[in-house]
Amino acid sequence: DAGVIQSPRHEVTEMGQEVTLRCKPISGHDYLFWYRQTMMRGLELLIYFNNNVPIDDSGMPEDRFSAKMPNASFSTLKIQPSEPRDSAVYFCASTILGGIDEQFFGPGTRLTVL
Amino acid sequence: DAKTTQPTSMDCAEGRAANLPCNHSTISGNEYVYWYRQIHSQGPQYIIHGLKNNETNEMASLIITEDRKSSTLILPHATLRDTAVYYCIVRVGEYGNKLVFGAGTILRVKS
């Protein structure tokens, strides 16, 4: 299994631009999580899905952030418009009901907003 | 979820056991203790979890005190590749419940 796949691995953009981060969870997993990591705030959960349905989006910082999961094998996190304070590493993770409740994390996307 | 307290950093000699403590004095009866680690520039990696009994797997052992107010993660023979940030997390053990990461412990394994 290839594990959780995230793209792009690095993204540099200018303030005001739209940014889309992508995630492919491990096949068969029914939970998907989006996290953000910064030096100041550490690792924070933004939103998570179960069977493609958003369950808890209380960590989404503001309306500029949105996440979708159109099918079981793909999710996006969009920031529009982006701001310098959005610069962070964004991780996607997935897990499966019935396993040992281990979340498998992707390699992350390092976002820099200039 | 109960709050956890971990030392900011620890050093360990290569080949020796690394013992990472975690305090969770407000833990509830249905809350599990989870350990994850994050090696530099990588996503966090699950290590082990437990409720009240000691647990062991191929990576580590988890020792939970009888009153469950603290626990210790043990890496039996630390290697340089074990240098990472180790997170102790307490949460209700229901699938899909979110993990709340604290600051963790920076473990430096030295040769």
Side-chain angles (χ1 to χ4, degrees):
Chain A
D1 197 322
V4 176
I5 299 172
Q6 292 187 246
S7 65
R9 293 294 310 277
H10 302 273
E11 176 80 25
V12 179
T13 190
E14 293 188 348
M15 183 174 63
Q17 296 298 306
E18 178 180 294
V19 175
T20 299
L21 310 181
R22 297 172 176 79
C23 175
K24 176 179 170 56
I26 293 173
S27 178
H29 282 194
D30 47 9
Y31 285 89
L32 184 140
F33 304 80
W34 282 100
Y35 292 86
R36 176 175 69 174
Q37 187 169 36
T38 62
M39 289 294 292
M40 291 295 294
R41 300 178 64 88
L43 195 60
E44 307 171 279
L45 177 69
L46 300 177
I47 185 172
Y48 76 92
F49 296 82
N50 176 221
N51 291 323
N52 313 335
V53 176
I55 302 300
D56 184 348
D57 65 354
S58 59
M60 296 287 264
E62 48 196 276
D63 292 345
R64 297 185 298 108
F65 286 69
S66 62
K68 294 182 180 180
M69 193 165 185
N71 57 62
S73 60
F74 183 65
S75 177
T76 60
L77 178 67
K78 185 176 295 186
I79 308 172
Q80 167 63 18
S82 59
E83 297 182 3
R85 59 193 171 120
D86 301 330
S87 297
V89 180
Y90 291 81
F91 290 102
C92 176
S94 69
T95 190
I96 182 170
L97 183 68
I100 59 171
D101 200 16
E102 169 186 357
Q103 289 189 21
F104 293 84
F105 283 76
T109 295
R110 181 173 295 277
L111 173 65
T112 302
V113 183
L114 303 175
Chain B
D1 295 332
K3 180 180 172 58
T4 63
T5 303
Q6 299 178 253
T8 302
S9 64
M10 296 180 62
D11 290 339
C12 177
E14 187 177 23
R16 305 297 293 268
N19 296 280
L20 292 92
C22 180
N23 286 320
H24 31 78
S25 58
T26 61
I27 192 169
S28 300
N30 62 346
E31 289 183 311
Y32 287 71
V33 179
Y34 287 77
W35 284 84
Y36 278 72
R37 74 179 182 182
Q38 187 174 22
I39 296 170
H40 181 62
S41 297
Q42 298 181 21
Q45 176 190 26
Y46 167 86
I47 302 173
I48 198 168
H49 76 283
L51 182 62
K52 55 183 178 181
N53 297 322
N54 297 338
E55 302 288 344
T56 296
N57 62 21
E58 65 278 5
M59 289 183 66
S61 294
L62 174 60
I63 309 297
I64 302 175
T65 58
E66 191 169 345
D67 63 8
R68 302 208 322 121
K69 293 185 176 183
S70 66
S71 60
T72 301
L73 178 74
I74 301 173
L75 307 178
H77 305 287
T79 70
L80 297 178
R81 289 180 295 178
D82 292 322
T83 293
V85 179
Y86 287 77
Y87 299 98
C88 172
I89 302 164
V90 170
R91 66 162 229 211
V92 175
E94 294 177 3
Y95 290 97
N97 273 0
K98 55 189 179 184
L99 295 171
V100 179
F101 288 82
T105 295
I106 299 171
L107 175 68
R108 299 184 187 90
V109 181
K110 299 183 176 181
S111 58

